[in-house]
Amino acid sequence: MRPTTRGAVPARLEALRRRFERWRTTRKGHSPIPDPLWASAVKLAGVYGLCRTARTLGLDYNALKRRVASVGSDAACGAAPAMTFVELASAPQAGLPECIVELEDPHGAKMRIQIKGSQGPDVVTAVSRVFWSAGR
């Protein structure tokens, strides 16, 4: 019986799952899992995490975890591969961005700052400092 997994199974994990299935259909009695299969499972646990690997391959989670820990791999924590920086480009906007900031001090003085375009919070900070210090 094939274990259920969420989402598509990566090709490398699927290939190892098929190797495990072939071994299970040809093994004699209750022979232990061969070391090369365990080594491949440990390696992929470092890439795809312990839970997903154990579930996909039909392995005992704790047995795989012990094997991974004995190798001293980062996968011992079930960690996914190290993340890298990904830049996301924003979609061009139809109009210019707009921001309105209204300030009022305790004495009733008011200021309204309306910013259009690419000017950011630095302008608001500078102008509001002048506003707050003017009353003193």
Side-chain angles (χ1 to χ4, degrees):
M1 182 169 105
R2 181 176 175 185
T4 58
T5 58
R6 291 185 180 141
V9 176
R12 291 173 59 197
L13 199 52
E14 177 62 23
L16 185 56
R17 186 193 63 75
R18 285 193 305 270
R19 285 178 53 201
F20 266 91
E21 277 185 6
R22 276 193 306 274
W23 170 77
R24 285 183 177 114
T25 59
T26 60
R27 74 178 177 172
K28 295 179 175 49
H30 292 287
S31 60
I33 298 173
D35 288 335
L37 283 178
W38 271 120
S40 296
V42 167
K43 183 177 178 182
L44 291 185
V47 176
Y48 301 111
L50 282 168
C51 185
R52 184 175 193 183
T53 303
R55 188 175 355 141
T56 302
L57 302 178
L59 298 173
D60 176 58
Y61 174 87
N62 290 314
L64 180 59
K65 184 176 180 178
R66 281 190 300 274
R67 295 240 180 198
V68 167
S70 69
V71 174
S73 170
D74 288 338
C77 298
M83 295 293 163
T84 58
F85 177 78
V86 177
E87 182 177 357
L88 300 176
S90 63
Q93 297 185 4
L96 295 174
E98 183 176 335
C99 176
I100 298 173
V101 178
E102 294 180 352
L103 304 171
E104 183 176 351
D105 73 2
H107 304 289
K110 295 180 181 180
M111 175 185 259
R112 181 174 189 220
I113 305 169
Q114 182 175 3
I115 300 174
K116 291 184 179 180
S118 62
Q119 298 179 2
D122 294 336
V123 173
V124 174
T125 303
V127 174
S128 62
R129 276 195 190 129
V130 172
F131 173 78
W132 292 117
S133 63
R136 294 178 184 177

